[in-house]
């Protein structure tokens, strides 16, 4: 394998994880520290709805071990708009909040689009032109999570590759209409696996976890991999992520 495989969950604050993933009695302010000791990455979701102060980013950086990586979900004000290429002000607000304080713990930024957003080549390229390759001396990697079937086309793949953006592989059994795009458009891969089930202690069956691990190892041949257990039976996602980590280690 030529790349590292980073596996985790979405966020770290979720009450049903207490007593299931987090030990009984663990104080909430130590939950990130605990989660980072069990996982190798976390996708920060709160940034989709609001911004955070630099002190928060420094705190998250300092509470996690060397080698741990955060993915960051981009602000909805950048992606949930009719004309994507007119969002520069929102871009600046999102990127200026302090995320580069993470330094080498900053993983990809996930730009998630609504399921109603259709592929408009000209407007989408205008959006891609707004994505900076670095900020404050820190490399910025960009992943595109699209949810409309119109994006499942070579023209979109070519645009993503032109701007060195990964296309998020999103797997959700409850949304079969979402395109599952597995295309090598960047030097890293990004996956959001949303099929965990509550009746499985590890969220997914052993065979399903083996298949997922094989897919991640295949992606790692072309670069770093970032994979997150998201949605589905959320209470099982930490166990699923840990089981996946064990399989690719």
């Amino acid at each position: 394998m030529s790349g590292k495989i980073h596996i985790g969950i979405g966020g770290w604050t979720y009450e049903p994880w207490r007593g299931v993933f987090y030990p009984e009695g663990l104080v909430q302010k130590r939950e990130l520290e605990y989660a980072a000791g069990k996982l190798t990455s976390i996708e920060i979701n709160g940034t989709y709805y609001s911004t955070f102060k630099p002190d928060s980013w420094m705190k998250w950086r300092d509470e996690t071990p060397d080698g741990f990586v955060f993915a960051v979900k981009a602000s909805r004000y950048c992606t949930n708009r009719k004309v994507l290429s007119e969002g520069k002000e929102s871009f600046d607000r999102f990127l200026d909040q302090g995320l580069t304080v993470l330094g080498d713990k900053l993983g990809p930024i996930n730009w998630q689009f609504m399921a109603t957003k259709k592929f408009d080549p000209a407007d989408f390229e205008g959006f891609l032109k707004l994505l900076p390759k670095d900020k404050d001396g820190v490399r910025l990697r960009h992943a595109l999570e699209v949810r409309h079937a119109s994006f499942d086309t070579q023209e979109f793949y070519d645009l993503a590759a032109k701007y060195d953006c990964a296309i998020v592989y999103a797997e959700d059994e409850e949304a079969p209409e979402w395109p599952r795009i597995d295309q090598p458009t960047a030097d890293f891969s990004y996956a959001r696996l949303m099929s965990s089930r509550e009746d499985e202690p590890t969220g997914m069956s052993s065979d399903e976890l083996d298949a997922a691990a094989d897919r991640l190892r295949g992606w790692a041949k072309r670069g770093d991999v970032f994979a997150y257990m998201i949605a589905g039976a959320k209470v099982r996602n930490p166990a699923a992520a840990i089981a996946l980590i064990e399989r690719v280690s």
Side-chain angles (χ1 to χ4, degrees), residues 8-228:
I9 54 180
W12 59 87
T13 303
Y14 183 56
E15 195 280 330
W17 286 340
R18 294 167 188 152
V20 177
F21 172 46
Y22 296 125
E24 292 283 1
L26 181 72
V27 295
Q28 187 174 341
K29 68 180 181 179
R30 295 196 63 193
E31 288 178 348
L32 174 58
E33 177 188 355
Y34 180 88
K38 301 292 185 181
L39 309 168
T40 52
S41 188
I42 284 177
E43 182 187 81
I44 301 175
N45 303 130
T47 44
Y48 183 71
Y49 301 100
S50 59
T51 57
F52 293 85
K53 296 183 181 300
D55 285 352
S56 295
W57 296 95
M58 285 189 283
K59 180 174 180 290
W60 299 338
R61 178 196 64 197
D62 295 343
E63 289 180 355
T64 52
D66 291 344
F68 190 84
V69 178
F70 290 98
V72 180
K73 197 169 179 182
S75 169
R76 57 182 171 166
Y77 295 108
C78 299
T79 55
N80 295 357
R81 55 175 57 245
K82 185 175 181 180
V83 181
L84 293 172
S85 55
E86 294 178 354
K88 187 179 185 307
E89 184 178 337
S90 295
F91 271 73
D92 292 343
R93 188 179 304 111
F94 167 69
L95 293 170
D96 288 344
Q97 64 183 290
L99 67 169
T100 55
V101 169
L102 292 177
D104 59 6
K105 291 184 180 180
L106 176 61
I109 298 171
N110 176 11
W111 303 87
Q112 184 189 84
F113 298 87
M114 297 177 68
T116 53
K117 189 64 177 178
K118 297 179 181 179
F119 179 48
D120 177 332
D123 187 45
F124 210 83
E125 183 162 17
F127 170 86
L128 295 174
K129 288 178 178 178
L130 295 175
L131 300 180
K133 295 185 180 298
D134 57 76
K135 183 174 177 60
D136 304 325
V138 177
R139 180 193 175 191
L140 299 183
R141 288 173 284 189
H142 304 287
L144 310 171
E145 185 177 0
V146 296
R147 296 180 166 186
H148 194 277
S150 61
F151 284 90
D152 196 359
T153 176
Q154 189 64 47
E155 189 172 8
F156 172 57
Y157 311 156
D158 291 345
L159 265 183
K162 178 180 178 180
Y163 290 91
D164 195 27
C165 295
I167 299 173
V168 175
Y169 177 83
E171 186 174 275
D172 188 343
E173 298 299 334
E174 295 186 2
E177 71 278 9
W178 291 359
R180 294 186 183 183
I181 301 174
D182 183 0
Q183 293 287 329
T185 59
D187 64 355
F188 70 96
S189 301
Y190 197 117
R192 303 181 91 232
L193 307 177
M194 299 173 269
S195 301
S196 58
R197 300 184 301 279
E198 195 158 353
D199 60 349
E200 287 283 357
T202 54
M204 301 164 69
S205 70
S206 181
D207 287 347
E208 290 168 334
L209 287 165
D210 287 342
D214 286 344
R215 185 186 291 275
L216 300 188
R217 283 191 290 264
W219 286 338
K221 293 177 182 178
R222 65 195 193 207
D224 289 350
V225 177
F226 302 86
Y228 302 95

